[in-house]
Amino acid sequence: MLQTLKRLRKLLSVPLQWLVILAMAVMVLDVLWGVLGNALAPVANAETGAVESAPVYEWLKLHIGFDWVSELATCLLVWIGLLGSCVAYERKAHLGVDVLTSRLAPETRKLSELFVHLLVGTFAAVALLYGGFEAFREAYFPPAGLSAVQLADFKPEVMTQLQIPKAIGITLAVPIAGVVFTLLALENFLETLLSPPTELTDPSETTEVSHG
């Protein structure tokens, strides 16, 4: 099972990292577009009080728009935060306080690492995977017990500017991250469980993260 999880992690690792990189690049462009819109936005003339706007602003607002910038940034921030956390956990680059564990004996350190992986896996499975899926289901699909007329009229909440369901733009990121976190935590737990205590990496000796 451990080898299967390792192969699955290698299969997901690179696409997940590139997805986060792409989302981050899009968010940077999105924010820069918002900054440009604010810089070109109409301002009141100090002498006449009339609101003046540059022709280029009116053209950009008409053909591309600026109102969707905030909603897109919100969606990307959620996806980057959750999937980026998965990438950090997969690369063992997540934040951790090793002042205590670095001083423990190898056997005790192994138990502490097993406990940590168990906590991460439990939280991911219960809060992110199960809780996130339930939140997505309630937001995207009609509740049980509706009449035929109510089912026909049911529509999931749609984001005002992007015109996509909020459940897909934001909520869906939670159960997806839950799946990845759960698989990674399970792999780390089994790897730690099957490794002799002397072969476990001492956190105090890890000074940098490998990017190979």
Side-chain angles (χ1 to χ4, degrees):
M1 183 177 183
L2 179 58
Q3 295 304 318
T4 302
L5 290 172
K6 284 183 176 293
R7 287 193 294 269
L8 184 59
R9 176 178 62 83
K10 290 181 180 180
L11 183 65
L12 295 176
S13 177
V14 175
L16 188 62
Q17 292 178 35
W18 277 106
L19 181 60
V20 173
I21 292 173
L22 178 61
M24 191 67 190
V26 173
M27 189 173 74
V28 170
L29 295 176
D30 176 66
V31 173
L32 289 177
W33 185 255
V35 172
L36 176 63
N38 290 334
L40 297 175
V43 294
N45 189 296
E47 297 180 357
T48 63
V51 177
E52 301 176 352
S53 62
V56 64
Y57 173 82
E58 297 298 335
W59 187 92
L60 291 175
K61 183 177 181 180
L62 178 63
H63 291 83
I64 303 178
F66 296 98
D67 297 333
W68 47 266
V69 169
S70 178
E71 283 188 349
L72 180 58
T74 300
C75 293
L76 292 173
L77 186 61
V78 172
W79 283 88
I80 291 171
L82 289 171
L83 297 186
S85 299
C86 294
V87 171
Y89 187 58
E90 185 268 332
R91 296 168 69 92
K92 294 181 172 60
H94 54 288
L95 294 177
V97 181
D98 57 8
V99 175
L100 176 61
T101 57
S102 62
R103 302 173 184 271
L104 298 176
E107 294 80 4
T108 309
R109 190 189 314 137
K110 177 177 180 177
L111 292 176
S112 69
E113 291 185 9
L114 287 172
F115 180 68
V116 169
H117 295 318
L118 182 62
L119 284 180
V120 172
T122 302
F123 175 81
V126 175
L128 296 180
L129 180 54
Y130 176 75
F133 176 77
E134 286 297 309
F136 173 78
R137 183 182 62 81
E138 292 177 2
Y140 191 72
F141 297 102
L146 295 182
S147 64
V149 176
Q150 290 174 320
L151 285 174
D153 293 337
F154 176 83
K155 292 182 180 179
E157 183 180 356
V158 175
M159 304 186 77
T160 306
Q161 300 300 327
L162 296 179
Q163 289 299 302
I164 61 174
K166 190 175 182 179
I168 293 179
I170 296 179
T171 313
L172 185 59
V174 180
I176 290 179
V179 172
V180 178
F181 262 118
T182 302
L183 293 175
L184 291 176
L186 180 59
E187 180 201 345
N188 290 337
F189 182 87
L190 293 177
E191 185 176 30
T192 303
L193 181 65
L194 298 176
S195 300
T198 54
E199 294 184 5
L200 296 177
T201 303
D202 188 339
S204 63
E205 297 175 0
T206 305
T207 57
E208 62 181 36
V209 178
S210 173
H211 297 281

